[in-house]
Amino acid sequence: MKDTDFRPKFISFDIYGTLINFDLDPTTRNLLDGRISDEQWPAFKKQFRGYRFDEVLGDYKPYEQILQDSFDRVCKRWGIGPTQGAGASFAAAVRSWGAHQDVPAPLKLMGENYKLVALSNADTSHLDISIPALGAAFHAVMTAEQAQAYKPRYQAFEYMLDTLNAKPEDFLHVSSHTRYDMHPMHDLGFRNLVLLDRGYDPVTEGYDYTTVESLDQLNKHLGL
């Protein structure tokens, strides 16, 4: 991405973690109800995240089921029995989250100058609540439910391209997740990629993305 001289037709975003403050920890700890120790928590949390990634690689199922199945799988690995209703508890948490504090003002400015697109690994009902919390106008909001596939599956990105009748070069895409967004999008020919580094994934080389620390920094790149 070059400063100021590139004007994309669309600026697309991952939503949860990138713009919305993704935090499953309180709900996870509550569901575990003391079944693991504080010392075991970091390892459990990391493995739970890994199972969520593995779950989205298969055929589409509702996000609540993704959360239920990934939690049951990691609990089984730890010798903990299944927890009925865990998926519903996680889904309720998702609907309760708000925007990162550093998002609304710069995102609003961006939306006044570019067409914003959401491509999110969640159900439409989640985005119906989360998008208004961002305080910016979106040209299009697309979900895994609509695409019948989750990122990093190519079908999710192809759905965005087909729905907007667009090409990869029409986009600047922003995400805080390399495995879900940067790597597969690079494979599909997207080159105007921006990692908003929130510490979720290590910054890697070889995928032609620009790393920024804030949307304000990205706006400066765009000449706003």
mmCIF file of all heavy atoms in Angstrom, residues 172-222:
data_model
loop_
_atom_site.group_PDB
_atom_site.id
_atom_site.type_symbol
_atom_site.label_atom_id
_atom_site.label_comp_id
_atom_site.label_asym_id
_atom_site.label_seq_id
_atom_site.Cartn_x
_atom_site.Cartn_y
_atom_site.Cartn_z
ATOM 1 N N LEU A 172 -8.898 -2.317 -0.307
ATOM 2 C CA LEU A 172 -7.920 -2.268 0.764
ATOM 3 C C LEU A 172 -8.583 -3.003 1.922
ATOM 4 O O LEU A 172 -9.691 -2.645 2.325
ATOM 5 C CB LEU A 172 -7.578 -0.831 1.140
ATOM 6 C CG LEU A 172 -6.456 -0.642 2.171
ATOM 7 C CD1 LEU A 172 -5.789 0.715 1.972
ATOM 8 C CD2 LEU A 172 -6.984 -0.725 3.605
ATOM 9 N N HIS A 173 -7.946 -4.046 2.414
ATOM 10 C CA HIS A 173 -8.559 -4.854 3.467
ATOM 11 C C HIS A 173 -7.796 -4.702 4.767
ATOM 12 O O HIS A 173 -6.560 -4.759 4.792
ATOM 13 C CB HIS A 173 -8.599 -6.330 3.075
ATOM 14 C CG HIS A 173 -9.316 -7.183 4.076
ATOM 15 N ND1 HIS A 173 -10.695 -7.213 4.172
ATOM 16 C CD2 HIS A 173 -8.844 -8.017 5.049
ATOM 17 C CE1 HIS A 173 -11.045 -8.049 5.146
ATOM 18 N NE2 HIS A 173 -9.950 -8.538 5.705
ATOM 19 N N VAL A 174 -8.543 -4.549 5.868
ATOM 20 C CA VAL A 174 -7.961 -4.306 7.186
ATOM 21 C C VAL A 174 -8.402 -5.413 8.142
ATOM 22 O O VAL A 174 -9.594 -5.686 8.293
ATOM 23 C CB VAL A 174 -8.410 -2.939 7.754
ATOM 24 C CG1 VAL A 174 -7.703 -2.647 9.075
ATOM 25 C CG2 VAL A 174 -8.158 -1.822 6.750
ATOM 26 N N SER A 175 -7.429 -6.027 8.795
ATOM 27 C CA SER A 175 -7.730 -7.066 9.775
ATOM 28 C C SER A 175 -6.636 -7.113 10.822
ATOM 29 O O SER A 175 -5.503 -6.710 10.572
ATOM 30 C CB SER A 175 -7.847 -8.441 9.085
ATOM 31 O OG SER A 175 -8.079 -9.464 10.047
ATOM 32 N N SER A 176 -6.973 -7.640 11.981
ATOM 33 C CA SER A 176 -5.970 -7.873 13.032
ATOM 34 C C SER A 176 -5.564 -9.340 13.085
ATOM 35 O O SER A 176 -4.853 -9.743 13.999
ATOM 36 C CB SER A 176 -6.523 -7.431 14.394
ATOM 37 O OG SER A 176 -7.719 -8.115 14.693
ATOM 38 N N HIS A 177 -6.011 -10.140 12.099
ATOM 39 C CA HIS A 177 -5.764 -11.580 12.093
ATOM 40 C C HIS A 177 -5.044 -11.995 10.817
ATOM 41 O O HIS A 177 -5.570 -11.814 9.716
ATOM 42 C CB HIS A 177 -7.086 -12.348 12.189
ATOM 43 C CG HIS A 177 -7.966 -11.902 13.309
ATOM 44 N ND1 HIS A 177 -7.688 -12.182 14.633
ATOM 45 C CD2 HIS A 177 -9.115 -11.182 13.305
ATOM 46 C CE1 HIS A 177 -8.647 -11.659 15.400
ATOM 47 N NE2 HIS A 177 -9.509 -11.049 14.614
ATOM 48 N N THR A 178 -3.857 -12.563 10.959
ATOM 49 C CA THR A 178 -3.120 -12.997 9.773
ATOM 50 C C THR A 178 -3.652 -14.311 9.220
ATOM 51 O O THR A 178 -3.828 -14.455 8.007
ATOM 52 C CB THR A 178 -1.622 -13.133 10.087
ATOM 53 O OG1 THR A 178 -1.438 -14.015 11.199
ATOM 54 C CG2 THR A 178 -1.007 -11.780 10.415
ATOM 55 N N ARG A 179 -3.909 -15.291 10.073
ATOM 56 C CA ARG A 179 -4.329 -16.609 9.586
ATOM 57 C C ARG A 179 -5.718 -16.579 8.952
ATOM 58 O O ARG A 179 -5.978 -17.301 7.986
ATOM 59 C CB ARG A 179 -4.320 -17.638 10.718
ATOM 60 C CG ARG A 179 -2.937 -18.006 11.208
ATOM 61 C CD ARG A 179 -2.954 -19.308 11.996
ATOM 62 N NE ARG A 179 -3.794 -19.231 13.188
ATOM 63 C CZ ARG A 179 -4.062 -20.278 13.965
ATOM 64 N NH1 ARG A 179 -3.586 -21.478 13.662
ATOM 65 N NH2 ARG A 179 -4.810 -20.149 15.043
ATOM 66 N N TYR A 180 -6.612 -15.772 9.503
ATOM 67 C CA TYR A 180 -7.969 -15.722 8.985
ATOM 68 C C TYR A 180 -8.082 -14.871 7.717
ATOM 69 O O TYR A 180 -8.916 -15.149 6.860
ATOM 70 C CB TYR A 180 -8.923 -15.140 10.035
ATOM 71 C CG TYR A 180 -9.276 -16.075 11.154
ATOM 72 C CD1 TYR A 180 -8.561 -16.061 12.348
ATOM 73 C CD2 TYR A 180 -10.346 -16.962 11.043
ATOM 74 C CE1 TYR A 180 -8.902 -16.916 13.392
ATOM 75 C CE2 TYR A 180 -10.691 -17.809 12.075
ATOM 76 C CZ TYR A 180 -9.959 -17.785 13.255
ATOM 77 O OH TYR A 180 -10.297 -18.639 14.282
ATOM 78 N N ASP A 181 -7.277 -13.819 7.608
ATOM 79 C CA ASP A 181 -7.454 -12.853 6.531
ATOM 80 C C ASP A 181 -6.232 -12.692 5.630
ATOM 81 O O ASP A 181 -6.318 -12.890 4.420
ATOM 82 C CB ASP A 181 -7.824 -11.480 7.111
ATOM 83 C CG ASP A 181 -9.199 -11.463 7.741
ATOM 84 O OD1 ASP A 181 -9.381 -12.067 8.820
ATOM 85 O OD2 ASP A 181 -10.105 -10.849 7.170
ATOM 86 N N MET A 182 -5.100 -12.303 6.188
ATOM 87 C CA MET A 182 -3.952 -11.924 5.368
ATOM 88 C C MET A 182 -3.453 -13.063 4.478
ATOM 89 O O MET A 182 -3.233 -12.886 3.284
ATOM 90 C CB MET A 182 -2.811 -11.415 6.254
ATOM 91 C CG MET A 182 -3.166 -10.190 7.084
ATOM 92 S SD MET A 182 -3.667 -8.807 6.041
ATOM 93 C CE MET A 182 -4.606 -7.836 7.212
ATOM 94 N N HIS A 183 -3.276 -14.237 5.052
ATOM 95 C CA HIS A 183 -2.702 -15.349 4.298
ATOM 96 C C HIS A 183 -3.610 -15.808 3.160
ATOM 97 O O HIS A 183 -3.162 -15.880 2.009
ATOM 98 C CB HIS A 183 -2.370 -16.502 5.236
ATOM 99 C CG HIS A 183 -1.339 -16.153 6.264
ATOM 100 N ND1 HIS A 183 -0.984 -17.029 7.285
ATOM 101 C CD2 HIS A 183 -0.572 -15.045 6.460
ATOM 102 C CE1 HIS A 183 -0.058 -16.465 8.043
ATOM 103 N NE2 HIS A 183 0.202 -15.269 7.564
ATOM 104 N N PRO A 184 -4.899 -16.106 3.420
ATOM 105 C CA PRO A 184 -5.748 -16.538 2.309
ATOM 106 C C PRO A 184 -5.999 -15.433 1.288
ATOM 107 O O PRO A 184 -6.084 -15.714 0.087
ATOM 108 C CB PRO A 184 -7.050 -16.977 2.986
ATOM 109 C CG PRO A 184 -7.056 -16.277 4.299
ATOM 110 C CD PRO A 184 -5.616 -16.187 4.711
ATOM 111 N N MET A 185 -6.105 -14.181 1.718
ATOM 112 C CA MET A 185 -6.355 -13.102 0.763
ATOM 113 C C MET A 185 -5.147 -12.892 -0.144
ATOM 114 O O MET A 185 -5.297 -12.616 -1.339
ATOM 115 C CB MET A 185 -6.733 -11.812 1.500
ATOM 116 C CG MET A 185 -8.069 -11.917 2.219
ATOM 117 S SD MET A 185 -8.622 -10.378 2.978
ATOM 118 C CE MET A 185 -9.361 -9.546 1.574
ATOM 119 N N HIS A 186 -3.962 -13.026 0.408
ATOM 120 C CA HIS A 186 -2.765 -12.936 -0.420
ATOM 121 C C HIS A 186 -2.780 -14.037 -1.478
ATOM 122 O O HIS A 186 -2.463 -13.805 -2.649
ATOM 123 C CB HIS A 186 -1.509 -13.033 0.448
ATOM 124 C CG HIS A 186 -0.239 -12.808 -0.290
ATOM 125 N ND1 HIS A 186 0.451 -13.826 -0.919
ATOM 126 C CD2 HIS A 186 0.471 -11.676 -0.522
ATOM 127 C CE1 HIS A 186 1.536 -13.337 -1.497
ATOM 128 N NE2 HIS A 186 1.572 -12.029 -1.266
ATOM 129 N N ASP A 187 -3.164 -15.241 -1.081
ATOM 130 C CA ASP A 187 -3.263 -16.347 -2.035
ATOM 131 C C ASP A 187 -4.235 -16.034 -3.170
ATOM 132 O O ASP A 187 -4.031 -16.468 -4.311
ATOM 133 C CB ASP A 187 -3.736 -17.618 -1.326
ATOM 134 C CG ASP A 187 -2.709 -18.180 -0.355
ATOM 135 O OD1 ASP A 187 -1.534 -17.784 -0.432
ATOM 136 O OD2 ASP A 187 -3.103 -19.013 0.483
ATOM 137 N N LEU A 188 -5.294 -15.287 -2.866
ATOM 138 C CA LEU A 188 -6.327 -14.970 -3.848
ATOM 139 C C LEU A 188 -6.008 -13.733 -4.679
ATOM 140 O O LEU A 188 -6.825 -13.336 -5.517
ATOM 141 C CB LEU A 188 -7.668 -14.780 -3.136
ATOM 142 C CG LEU A 188 -8.319 -16.071 -2.631
ATOM 143 C CD1 LEU A 188 -9.466 -15.759 -1.677
ATOM 144 C CD2 LEU A 188 -8.829 -16.906 -3.807
ATOM 145 N N GLY A 189 -4.862 -13.111 -4.448
ATOM 146 C CA GLY A 189 -4.449 -11.983 -5.275
ATOM 147 C C GLY A 189 -4.687 -10.609 -4.687
ATOM 148 O O GLY A 189 -4.426 -9.602 -5.346
ATOM 149 N N PHE A 190 -5.162 -10.544 -3.440
ATOM 150 C CA PHE A 190 -5.296 -9.247 -2.775
ATOM 151 C C PHE A 190 -3.893 -8.780 -2.369
ATOM 152 O O PHE A 190 -3.128 -9.530 -1.772
ATOM 153 C CB PHE A 190 -6.161 -9.362 -1.520
ATOM 154 C CG PHE A 190 -7.611 -9.631 -1.781
ATOM 155 C CD1 PHE A 190 -8.076 -10.919 -2.003
ATOM 156 C CD2 PHE A 190 -8.525 -8.588 -1.789
ATOM 157 C CE1 PHE A 190 -9.413 -11.182 -2.226
ATOM 158 C CE2 PHE A 190 -9.882 -8.829 -2.007
ATOM 159 C CZ PHE A 190 -10.321 -10.133 -2.232
ATOM 160 N N ARG A 191 -3.563 -7.540 -2.676
ATOM 161 C CA ARG A 191 -2.249 -7.019 -2.337
ATOM 162 C C ARG A 191 -2.297 -5.772 -1.456
ATOM 163 O O ARG A 191 -1.302 -5.416 -0.828
ATOM 164 C CB ARG A 191 -1.457 -6.699 -3.614
ATOM 165 C CG ARG A 191 -1.026 -7.944 -4.376
ATOM 166 C CD ARG A 191 -0.082 -8.796 -3.535
ATOM 167 N NE ARG A 191 0.347 -10.012 -4.235
ATOM 168 C CZ ARG A 191 -0.274 -11.177 -4.155
ATOM 169 N NH1 ARG A 191 -1.377 -11.299 -3.410
ATOM 170 N NH2 ARG A 191 0.175 -12.227 -4.811
ATOM 171 N N ASN A 192 -3.438 -5.105 -1.402
ATOM 172 C CA ASN A 192 -3.566 -3.925 -0.547
ATOM 173 C C ASN A 192 -4.147 -4.363 0.795
ATOM 174 O O ASN A 192 -5.322 -4.198 1.085
ATOM 175 C CB ASN A 192 -4.455 -2.872 -1.228
ATOM 176 C CG ASN A 192 -3.859 -2.418 -2.539
ATOM 177 O OD1 ASN A 192 -2.720 -1.952 -2.591
ATOM 178 N ND2 ASN A 192 -4.615 -2.572 -3.622
ATOM 179 N N LEU A 193 -3.267 -4.971 1.588
ATOM 180 C CA LEU A 193 -3.651 -5.578 2.854
ATOM 181 C C LEU A 193 -3.018 -4.819 4.009
ATOM 182 O O LEU A 193 -1.838 -4.465 3.953
ATOM 183 C CB LEU A 193 -3.196 -7.039 2.901
ATOM 184 C CG LEU A 193 -3.752 -7.956 1.808
ATOM 185 C CD1 LEU A 193 -3.060 -9.309 1.842
ATOM 186 C CD2 LEU A 193 -5.257 -8.127 1.956
ATOM 187 N N VAL A 194 -3.794 -4.593 5.051
ATOM 188 C CA VAL A 194 -3.320 -3.855 6.222
ATOM 189 C C VAL A 194 -3.587 -4.673 7.479
ATOM 190 O O VAL A 194 -4.737 -5.027 7.772
ATOM 191 C CB VAL A 194 -4.012 -2.484 6.341
ATOM 192 C CG1 VAL A 194 -3.568 -1.773 7.627
ATOM 193 C CG2 VAL A 194 -3.696 -1.613 5.126
ATOM 194 N N LEU A 195 -2.532 -4.968 8.211
ATOM 195 C CA LEU A 195 -2.668 -5.617 9.515
ATOM 196 C C LEU A 195 -2.748 -4.532 10.579
ATOM 197 O O LEU A 195 -1.791 -3.788 10.808
ATOM 198 C CB LEU A 195 -1.474 -6.523 9.797
ATOM 199 C CG LEU A 195 -1.492 -7.207 11.172
ATOM 200 C CD1 LEU A 195 -2.592 -8.257 11.248
ATOM 201 C CD2 LEU A 195 -0.138 -7.833 11.491
ATOM 202 N N LEU A 196 -3.906 -4.428 11.222
ATOM 203 C CA LEU A 196 -4.056 -3.560 12.386
ATOM 204 C C LEU A 196 -3.598 -4.391 13.572
ATOM 205 O O LEU A 196 -4.326 -5.258 14.060
ATOM 206 C CB LEU A 196 -5.507 -3.106 12.533
ATOM 207 C CG LEU A 196 -5.845 -2.256 13.764
ATOM 208 C CD1 LEU A 196 -4.947 -1.036 13.867
ATOM 209 C CD2 LEU A 196 -7.315 -1.854 13.743
ATOM 210 N N ASP A 197 -2.384 -4.167 14.013
ATOM 211 C CA ASP A 197 -1.739 -5.055 14.980
ATOM 212 C C ASP A 197 -2.296 -4.855 16.381
ATOM 213 O O ASP A 197 -2.012 -3.866 17.043
ATOM 214 C CB ASP A 197 -0.227 -4.810 14.959
ATOM 215 C CG ASP A 197 0.536 -5.809 15.812
ATOM 216 O OD1 ASP A 197 -0.090 -6.782 16.286
ATOM 217 O OD2 ASP A 197 1.746 -5.630 16.002
ATOM 218 N N ARG A 198 -3.091 -5.819 16.821
ATOM 219 C CA ARG A 198 -3.632 -5.806 18.187
ATOM 220 C C ARG A 198 -3.056 -6.951 19.012
ATOM 221 O O ARG A 198 -3.574 -7.288 20.070
ATOM 222 C CB ARG A 198 -5.159 -5.859 18.152
ATOM 223 C CG ARG A 198 -5.801 -4.641 17.475
ATOM 224 C CD ARG A 198 -7.249 -4.491 17.876
ATOM 225 N NE ARG A 198 -7.926 -3.404 17.179
ATOM 226 C CZ ARG A 198 -7.887 -2.124 17.567
ATOM 227 N NH1 ARG A 198 -7.186 -1.779 18.637
ATOM 228 N NH2 ARG A 198 -8.543 -1.195 16.897
ATOM 229 N N GLY A 199 -1.991 -7.561 18.505
ATOM 230 C CA GLY A 199 -1.284 -8.578 19.273
ATOM 231 C C GLY A 199 -1.846 -9.978 19.180
ATOM 232 O O GLY A 199 -1.401 -10.870 19.906
ATOM 233 N N TYR A 200 -2.817 -10.210 18.301
ATOM 234 C CA TYR A 200 -3.400 -11.543 18.192
ATOM 235 C C TYR A 200 -2.439 -12.525 17.528
ATOM 236 O O TYR A 200 -2.330 -13.677 17.930
ATOM 237 C CB TYR A 200 -4.700 -11.506 17.386
ATOM 238 C CG TYR A 200 -5.819 -10.746 18.043
ATOM 239 C CD1 TYR A 200 -6.373 -9.621 17.434
ATOM 240 C CD2 TYR A 200 -6.340 -11.149 19.264
ATOM 241 C CE1 TYR A 200 -7.408 -8.917 18.029
ATOM 242 C CE2 TYR A 200 -7.369 -10.451 19.874
ATOM 243 C CZ TYR A 200 -7.900 -9.332 19.244
ATOM 244 O OH TYR A 200 -8.921 -8.628 19.839
ATOM 245 N N ASP A 201 -1.797 -12.091 16.455
ATOM 246 C CA ASP A 201 -0.936 -12.962 15.667
ATOM 247 C C ASP A 201 0.433 -12.331 15.515
ATOM 248 O O ASP A 201 0.559 -11.094 15.495
ATOM 249 C CB ASP A 201 -1.523 -13.182 14.268
ATOM 250 C CG ASP A 201 -2.840 -13.933 14.299
ATOM 251 O OD1 ASP A 201 -3.039 -14.738 15.217
ATOM 252 O OD2 ASP A 201 -3.660 -13.710 13.389
ATOM 253 N N PRO A 202 1.469 -13.151 15.349
ATOM 254 C CA PRO A 202 2.797 -12.597 15.086
ATOM 255 C C PRO A 202 2.833 -11.931 13.713
ATOM 256 O O PRO A 202 2.177 -12.389 12.778
ATOM 257 C CB PRO A 202 3.720 -13.815 15.138
ATOM 258 C CG PRO A 202 2.823 -14.977 14.858
ATOM 259 C CD PRO A 202 1.494 -14.623 15.440
ATOM 260 N N VAL A 203 3.578 -10.859 13.607
ATOM 261 C CA VAL A 203 3.750 -10.185 12.325
ATOM 262 C C VAL A 203 4.744 -10.996 11.500
ATOM 263 O O VAL A 203 5.854 -11.273 11.937
ATOM 264 C CB VAL A 203 4.258 -8.741 12.519
ATOM 265 C CG1 VAL A 203 4.488 -8.073 11.170
ATOM 266 C CG2 VAL A 203 3.247 -7.945 13.344
ATOM 267 N N THR A 204 4.312 -11.416 10.314
ATOM 268 C CA THR A 204 5.123 -12.279 9.473
ATOM 269 C C THR A 204 5.541 -11.560 8.196
ATOM 270 O O THR A 204 4.982 -10.524 7.839
ATOM 271 C CB THR A 204 4.348 -13.554 9.097
ATOM 272 O OG1 THR A 204 3.111 -13.170 8.454
ATOM 273 C CG2 THR A 204 4.030 -14.372 10.332
ATOM 274 N N GLU A 205 6.512 -12.120 7.502
ATOM 275 C CA GLU A 205 6.963 -11.566 6.231
ATOM 276 C C GLU A 205 6.467 -12.443 5.090
ATOM 277 O O GLU A 205 6.092 -13.599 5.286
ATOM 278 C CB GLU A 205 8.491 -11.482 6.209
ATOM 279 C CG GLU A 205 9.060 -10.530 7.257
ATOM 280 C CD GLU A 205 10.581 -10.437 7.182
ATOM 281 O OE1 GLU A 205 11.188 -11.163 6.361
ATOM 282 O OE2 GLU A 205 11.149 -9.647 7.954
ATOM 283 N N GLY A 206 6.451 -11.873 3.894
ATOM 284 C CA GLY A 206 6.137 -12.643 2.711
ATOM 285 C C GLY A 206 4.703 -12.565 2.242
ATOM 286 O O GLY A 206 4.340 -13.216 1.258
ATOM 287 N N TYR A 207 3.868 -11.761 2.911
ATOM 288 C CA TYR A 207 2.472 -11.655 2.518
ATOM 289 C C TYR A 207 2.079 -10.240 2.100
ATOM 290 O O TYR A 207 0.894 -9.945 1.954
ATOM 291 C CB TYR A 207 1.562 -12.166 3.637
ATOM 292 C CG TYR A 207 1.675 -13.662 3.823
ATOM 293 C CD1 TYR A 207 2.555 -14.195 4.759
ATOM 294 C CD2 TYR A 207 0.932 -14.547 3.042
ATOM 295 C CE1 TYR A 207 2.693 -15.574 4.915
ATOM 296 C CE2 TYR A 207 1.056 -15.918 3.193
ATOM 297 C CZ TYR A 207 1.941 -16.431 4.129
ATOM 298 O OH TYR A 207 2.070 -17.790 4.276
ATOM 299 N N ASP A 208 3.031 -9.389 1.891
ATOM 300 C CA ASP A 208 2.810 -8.071 1.280
ATOM 301 C C ASP A 208 1.787 -7.208 1.996
ATOM 302 O O ASP A 208 1.051 -6.453 1.373
ATOM 303 C CB ASP A 208 2.387 -8.229 -0.194
ATOM 304 C CG ASP A 208 3.449 -8.906 -1.037
ATOM 305 O OD1 ASP A 208 4.634 -8.684 -0.774
ATOM 306 O OD2 ASP A 208 3.076 -9.666 -1.955
ATOM 307 N N TYR A 209 1.703 -7.324 3.327
ATOM 308 C CA TYR A 209 0.780 -6.434 4.022
ATOM 309 C C TYR A 209 1.545 -5.349 4.774
ATOM 310 O O TYR A 209 2.692 -5.506 5.163
ATOM 311 C CB TYR A 209 -0.160 -7.195 4.966
ATOM 312 C CG TYR A 209 0.483 -8.051 6.039
ATOM 313 C CD1 TYR A 209 1.030 -7.495 7.182
ATOM 314 C CD2 TYR A 209 0.488 -9.440 5.931
ATOM 315 C CE1 TYR A 209 1.588 -8.272 8.179
ATOM 316 C CE2 TYR A 209 1.034 -10.237 6.919
ATOM 317 C CZ TYR A 209 1.588 -9.652 8.034
ATOM 318 O OH TYR A 209 2.134 -10.437 9.027
ATOM 319 N N THR A 210 0.861 -4.226 4.938
ATOM 320 C CA THR A 210 1.371 -3.109 5.716
ATOM 321 C C THR A 210 0.853 -3.233 7.143
ATOM 322 O O THR A 210 -0.322 -3.551 7.351
ATOM 323 C CB THR A 210 0.894 -1.769 5.118
ATOM 324 O OG1 THR A 210 1.402 -1.652 3.787
ATOM 325 C CG2 THR A 210 1.383 -0.593 5.952
ATOM 326 N N THR A 211 1.690 -3.001 8.130
ATOM 327 C CA THR A 211 1.279 -3.080 9.524
ATOM 328 C C THR A 211 1.098 -1.688 10.098
ATOM 329 O O THR A 211 1.973 -0.826 9.936
ATOM 330 C CB THR A 211 2.317 -3.854 10.355
ATOM 331 O OG1 THR A 211 2.486 -5.163 9.804
ATOM 332 C CG2 THR A 211 1.867 -3.981 11.804
ATOM 333 N N VAL A 212 -0.042 -1.446 10.740
ATOM 334 C CA VAL A 212 -0.303 -0.179 11.412
ATOM 335 C C VAL A 212 -0.717 -0.463 12.845
ATOM 336 O O VAL A 212 -1.154 -1.573 13.177
ATOM 337 C CB VAL A 212 -1.393 0.656 10.698
ATOM 338 C CG1 VAL A 212 -0.971 1.004 9.274
ATOM 339 C CG2 VAL A 212 -2.740 -0.062 10.703
ATOM 340 N N GLU A 213 -0.583 0.549 13.683
ATOM 341 C CA GLU A 213 -0.960 0.413 15.093
ATOM 342 C C GLU A 213 -2.345 0.969 15.392
ATOM 343 O O GLU A 213 -2.896 0.721 16.463
ATOM 344 C CB GLU A 213 0.074 1.130 15.971
ATOM 345 C CG GLU A 213 1.509 0.638 15.787
ATOM 346 C CD GLU A 213 1.693 -0.810 16.192
ATOM 347 O OE1 GLU A 213 0.974 -1.246 17.122
ATOM 348 O OE2 GLU A 213 2.531 -1.494 15.584
ATOM 349 N N SER A 214 -2.916 1.723 14.453
ATOM 350 C CA SER A 214 -4.216 2.352 14.697
ATOM 351 C C SER A 214 -4.868 2.730 13.374
ATOM 352 O O SER A 214 -4.195 2.831 12.333
ATOM 353 C CB SER A 214 -4.053 3.611 15.551
ATOM 354 O OG SER A 214 -3.362 4.610 14.812
ATOM 355 N N LEU A 215 -6.182 2.973 13.421
ATOM 356 C CA LEU A 215 -6.881 3.473 12.233
ATOM 357 C C LEU A 215 -6.474 4.906 11.929
ATOM 358 O O LEU A 215 -6.499 5.326 10.762
ATOM 359 C CB LEU A 215 -8.399 3.374 12.435
ATOM 360 C CG LEU A 215 -8.995 1.977 12.468
ATOM 361 C CD1 LEU A 215 -10.512 2.057 12.547
ATOM 362 C CD2 LEU A 215 -8.580 1.148 11.263
ATOM 363 N N ASP A 216 -6.102 5.671 12.929
ATOM 364 C CA ASP A 216 -5.586 7.016 12.679
ATOM 365 C C ASP A 216 -4.346 6.945 11.798
ATOM 366 O O ASP A 216 -4.190 7.741 10.866
ATOM 367 C CB ASP A 216 -5.239 7.716 14.005
ATOM 368 C CG ASP A 216 -6.453 8.286 14.711
ATOM 369 O OD1 ASP A 216 -7.347 8.808 14.006
ATOM 370 O OD2 ASP A 216 -6.514 8.228 15.940
ATOM 371 N N GLN A 217 -3.476 5.997 12.078
ATOM 372 C CA GLN A 217 -2.271 5.826 11.263
ATOM 373 C C GLN A 217 -2.643 5.444 9.835
ATOM 374 O O GLN A 217 -2.046 5.923 8.869
ATOM 375 C CB GLN A 217 -1.369 4.776 11.899
ATOM 376 C CG GLN A 217 -0.021 4.615 11.199
ATOM 377 C CD GLN A 217 0.844 3.551 11.869
ATOM 378 O OE1 GLN A 217 0.536 3.081 12.977
ATOM 379 N NE2 GLN A 217 1.923 3.180 11.213
ATOM 380 N N LEU A 218 -3.634 4.579 9.683
ATOM 381 C CA LEU A 218 -4.073 4.183 8.352
ATOM 382 C C LEU A 218 -4.664 5.379 7.605
ATOM 383 O O LEU A 218 -4.417 5.562 6.404
ATOM 384 C CB LEU A 218 -5.113 3.066 8.448
ATOM 385 C CG LEU A 218 -5.717 2.585 7.129
ATOM 386 C CD1 LEU A 218 -4.639 2.160 6.142
ATOM 387 C CD2 LEU A 218 -6.705 1.454 7.384
ATOM 388 N N ASN A 219 -5.441 6.200 8.290
ATOM 389 C CA ASN A 219 -5.997 7.386 7.650
ATOM 390 C C ASN A 219 -4.899 8.309 7.122
ATOM 391 O O ASN A 219 -5.063 8.935 6.064
ATOM 392 C CB ASN A 219 -6.914 8.140 8.620
ATOM 393 C CG ASN A 219 -8.316 7.557 8.670
ATOM 394 O OD1 ASN A 219 -8.735 6.822 7.770
ATOM 395 N ND2 ASN A 219 -9.058 7.878 9.727
ATOM 396 N N LYS A 220 -3.809 8.404 7.840
ATOM 397 C CA LYS A 220 -2.684 9.216 7.356
ATOM 398 C C LYS A 220 -2.101 8.640 6.084
ATOM 399 O O LYS A 220 -1.750 9.375 5.156
ATOM 400 C CB LYS A 220 -1.626 9.344 8.436
ATOM 401 C CG LYS A 220 -2.066 10.174 9.639
ATOM 402 C CD LYS A 220 -0.976 10.253 10.710
ATOM 403 C CE LYS A 220 -1.430 11.075 11.910
ATOM 404 N NZ LYS A 220 -0.413 11.115 12.989
ATOM 405 N N HIS A 221 -2.010 7.303 6.014
ATOM 406 C CA HIS A 221 -1.564 6.653 4.783
ATOM 407 C C HIS A 221 -2.476 7.010 3.611
ATOM 408 O O HIS A 221 -2.017 7.149 2.473
ATOM 409 C CB HIS A 221 -1.553 5.139 4.964
ATOM 410 C CG HIS A 221 -0.339 4.592 5.659
ATOM 411 N ND1 HIS A 221 0.924 4.632 5.110
ATOM 412 C CD2 HIS A 221 -0.205 3.978 6.852
ATOM 413 C CE1 HIS A 221 1.785 4.071 5.940
ATOM 414 N NE2 HIS A 221 1.120 3.665 7.014
ATOM 415 N N LEU A 222 -3.764 7.151 3.923
ATOM 416 C CA LEU A 222 -4.776 7.435 2.883
ATOM 417 C C LEU A 222 -4.922 8.923 2.598
ATOM 418 O O LEU A 222 -5.722 9.320 1.766
ATOM 419 C CB LEU A 222 -6.117 6.851 3.307
ATOM 420 C CG LEU A 222 -6.185 5.319 3.376
ATOM 421 C CD1 LEU A 222 -7.458 4.875 4.105
ATOM 422 C CD2 LEU A 222 -6.128 4.698 1.990
#
